[in-house]
Amino acid sequence: MNLRNYGLIIYWHLICLTVVYLWPDVSTCAQPLLEHNLTVTLKPDEHRLIAVDRVALDHPDLENLTFLMAEHLKVSSVTAAGSKLKHRFDGGLLQVELPDLQDRLVLRIEYKGIFNDNAPVLPLNTDNPGFGVTGAITPKGTLLLDGAKWYPVSRNGTNKYLLTVIAPIKTMAVTTGQLLGHSTKEDRSVSRWSLEDLSSGMPLVAGPYIRTTRSFGKVTAATYFSPPLQPLSKDYLAAIGRYLKFYADLFGPYPFGQFAVVENFFPTGYGFPGFTLMGRQVLRLPFIIHTSLGHEIAHCWWGNGVLVDLSQGNWSEGLTTYVADYLYKEKQDQGQEQRLGWLRNYAGLINPGNDFPLSRFSGRSDPVTKTIGYDKGAMVFHMLRQTVGDEAFWNALREVYNHFCFKAITWSDFQTIFEKQSNRNLDWFFDQWVFRTGAPEFRLADVKMAQNAHGYRISGNIRQTAPFYRFSVEMLLSTAGLEQRQNVTVSGAKTAFEFTSSEKPQALKIDPRVHLFRKLEPDEIPASINTLKGAPSISILVARKLGKSYLDIARRLAVSLGLDSAWIGFDDTFPADTLDQTDIICIGSPGDKRFLPSVGNDFSLESRTYTLMGKTYDLETNSFFGVFKNPGKMARTLALFLPASHEAAVTISGKLTHYGKYSYLVFDGARNAAKGIWPVTSSALTRKWAIATER
């Protein structure tokens, strides 16, 4: 990784948080079949598309046809057999009056238009992984999503396409479906594709690619990389093969004929049937092959294989996160850490004002939607696995895939098959985890320890705050010589429990391995960068001695963290009467001592150095960013940003948003040298007893 170029690393998480395009079904009739022979010419220097669509249908028993297209397109003509047809194009609907019945009708629709959405090459904020771009035809590359409505889709029947893309020389075009060939003709390139199914739409990508392939059984793996990225093809192709085998063994055969990794000219993270579109900066990162690539391939089973019926929300992001990102962590014995991270994200970013149920999640557009759709969604699948057991869980997913491949399904369809595999009613599970907002809140209460002739009796209650949830939670009793575990079923305001032990207890914990989605207690939530993102009010203060140029750093930081309404100014102009009403980010060593954190031995600041978790760093070479809880009685949260230089401040301010779960960061130049989360020392879910020592 070239760490001197911060642009290479500020986007890495985009691919991990992939957006799958969900295509609305606009052609519900089985007949007639409309066969589109669509030829598109790309004019990148003009941001223009010129197209001719020859639409054939047999025995048209219709008086007119209606096509959905982008309303800004210009329809030049609509003809049949050389004769002009009456048509009207208004509000994105092209209505064509058909001639008298014929055995076979071929319409010729000529249209053109400009697609020039602003595609940010080095964006500061990437909370919305699509950046609002649906259509961009540029000299650097082309991306046309279905949201751009760049091709005609008939509302009157089933559509299939033969797509020919004419582009500048050495340009290849990629879409879903079956590749018929790439060729060169005179001073232009020609790419031809066949699409039988539009259930996931027809995205179009084009760029200065070299196509490299490798076969894995009946599946062709491919990379579409520009010449500078060609050395990466070998490793990407090998990784594709490993993931295809892994998921085929887990769920069933791969549903498409190819899988391609396609380079994009700006940092997207899209998963489509048969290919993924990754920004060129991201593709260079060495860990992407081992993490995010698998997420994209898993989407070919979940989201692009089994389709999403949005009437009950988008389940695919949660499931794909669980069987990809999470499952890789679990295999490395890091599953508990991942689950705890999800709970901390929820605690730091979600509140009653922005919470919503999984049944209303459609796609990610900001940290809140990501936390619910991806993190909570994955945790719900984990709890489902804990509830029904491993065998029933994986068998159910295989049955879902085999039964519903290329069909759109809902959470209720998952419920039906999981009930069948586990032979139990799961109404309560899906009702509370999918269709309700929130998370359970509970704590240990009334804990008593009594000694008797046989040892010790430990009893107490789990007290739950309304609204009540039903769940089974693990409890762990630890002594010097052994551990006892038992599951307790909680369903109301108070649930009793009891342990007996021959040895004196040392600690009692609820949910020690973090198998349950819940709202963490305040003491369990270390301050983090995500805490700042979820702040209802925030102020960014610049130490006066740094000068006006650092006010621009503050503005840059606000954009990066998505803090649109942040107050920004010098520390000596901050209104003192609002100290207890806002979270604070202080840039530079503050002259006002009220803005210095106090966190015991974890962090201390001197004139030229700071000590973090027992290690001392030089302020002139090592930048620091830390988030602290409740310093004194003023702000809810205080963050301290100590950049080693103005150059470091510029670079780091654009990166911080990608370290959301961390409490503190150290940078040596542009390189992250240390990161971590403040230790949690107490919890309402833990009771500890003093250990007697001999005198």
Side-chain angles (χ1 to χ4, degrees), residues 10-126:
I10 67 174
Y11 313 122
W12 68 268
H13 79 307
L14 288 177
I15 302 304
C16 301
L17 306 175
T18 303
V19 176
V20 173
Y21 187 83
L22 299 168
W23 176 251
D25 184 7
V26 297
S27 54
T28 56
C29 302
Q31 294 296 332
L33 173 65
L34 290 89
E35 298 178 278
H36 298 253
N37 188 340
L38 175 60
T39 300
V40 171
T41 300
L42 300 178
K43 301 283 188 179
D45 290 336
E46 304 172 15
H47 310 291
R48 188 182 302 276
L49 170 152
I50 301 172
V52 177
D53 190 12
R54 299 169 182 85
V55 187
L57 63 162
D58 293 327
H59 306 290
D61 189 18
L62 295 167
E63 294 183 358
N64 58 68
L65 284 174
T66 301
F67 297 90
L68 182 68
M69 303 169 66
E71 59 184 69
H72 76 276
L73 292 172
K74 181 179 179 180
V75 178
S76 305
S77 67
V78 180
T79 60
S83 299
K84 293 183 179 181
L85 298 183
K86 290 183 179 180
H87 65 277
R88 180 183 180 186
F89 184 52
D90 183 45
L93 293 178
L94 173 62
Q95 296 176 316
V96 181
E97 292 186 17
L98 300 182
D100 293 337
L101 290 178
Q102 303 175 32
D103 288 340
R104 183 172 177 83
L105 175 67
V106 179
L107 300 179
R108 179 185 173 96
I109 304 171
E110 299 184 26
Y111 66 95
K112 58 186 176 181
I114 291 175
F115 294 89
N116 192 25
D117 290 348
N118 181 32
V121 178
L122 293 175
L124 279 177
N125 186 287
T126 54

Side-chain angles (χ1 to χ4, degrees), residues 220-239:
T220 299
T223 58
Y224 286 83
F225 290 169
S226 62
L229 265 63
Q230 270 303 299
L232 301 178
S233 289
K234 181 179 178 181
D235 289 342
Y236 269 94
L237 293 173

Side-chain angles (χ1 to χ4, degrees), residues 281-534:
Q281 296 93 345
V282 180
L283 287 166
R284 291 189 176 102
L285 300 175
F287 52 83
I288 292 299
I289 284 181
H290 307 292
T291 55
S292 306
L293 177 62
H295 181 109
E296 303 295 350
I297 294 175
H299 264 306
C300 289
W301 278 263
W302 306 111
N304 292 322
V306 180
L307 306 175
V308 177
D309 180 341
L310 280 177
S311 64
Q312 290 184 358
N314 177 2
W315 48 263
S316 75
E317 296 297 355
L319 179 54
T320 302
T321 298
Y322 189 68
V323 301
D325 310 63
Y326 172 78
L327 202 55
Y328 309 151
K329 292 287 188 181
E330 183 180 271
K331 290 180 178 298
Q332 299 169 4
D333 294 324
Q334 297 174 5
Q336 180 175 328
E337 178 184 347
Q338 180 85 337
R339 298 190 297 270
L340 182 58
W342 291 336
L343 299 193
R344 285 173 171 165
N345 289 344
Y346 185 84
L349 291 165
I350 307 302
N351 58 62
N354 61 21
D355 200 0
F356 60 89
L358 272 170
S359 59
R360 284 178 43 209
F361 170 71
S362 58
R364 174 194 162 188
S365 59
D366 54 35
V368 170
T369 50
K370 180 267 176 188
T371 298
I372 293 175
Y374 290 66
D375 299 354
K376 181 179 180 180
M379 194 70 183
V380 167
F381 278 104
H382 180 74
M383 291 187 295
L384 187 56
R385 181 181 170 190
Q386 301 301 304
T387 300
V388 304
D390 267 19
E391 182 177 2
F393 180 81
W394 297 112
N395 283 343
L397 289 182
R398 280 187 281 272
E399 183 174 348
V400 171
Y401 177 70
N402 291 330
H403 188 68
F404 289 111
C405 193
F406 300 128
K407 298 176 183 177
I409 68 170
T410 66
W411 281 103
S412 294
D413 295 309
F414 276 95
Q415 178 180 339
T416 298
I417 290 184
F418 273 91
E419 287 181 335
K420 173 186 173 184
Q421 285 290 339
S422 63
N423 195 29
R424 65 179 71 185
N425 185 294
L426 295 172
D427 279 343
W428 62 273
F429 182 95
F430 285 86
D431 284 347
Q432 69 182 22
W433 297 121
V434 175
F435 296 98
R436 278 176 55 181
T437 60
E441 298 180 61
F442 54 92
R443 59 186 175 83
L444 277 172
D446 316 315
V447 178
K448 298 178 181 178
M449 178 176 64
Q451 188 173 8
N452 54 42
H454 303 287
Y456 297 86
R457 176 179 176 272
I458 302 90
S459 62
N461 294 297
I462 299 174
R463 292 190 178 270
Q464 185 180 184
T465 303
F468 303 131
Y469 284 73
R470 170 184 169 184
F471 54 87
S472 177
V473 66
E474 180 185 57
M475 298 190 70
L476 171 66
L477 181 70
S478 302
T479 69
L482 56 86
E483 291 184 342
Q484 291 187 54
R485 300 179 187 270
Q486 65 171 279
N487 288 326
V488 177
T489 300
V490 178
S491 60
K494 184 172 71 171
T495 302
F497 65 85
E498 180 177 315
F499 282 86
T500 58
S501 173
S502 59
E503 299 183 15
K504 185 177 181 179
Q506 294 182 350
L508 178 66
K509 297 181 180 180
I510 303 179
D511 195 25
R513 294 184 287 189
V514 198
H515 287 306
L516 184 69
F517 185 75
R518 62 184 178 86
K519 187 173 181 179
L520 298 177
E521 291 287 325
D523 289 344
E524 298 178 282
I525 310 171
S528 67
I529 292 172
N530 276 341
T531 309
L532 301 174
K533 291 183 178 183

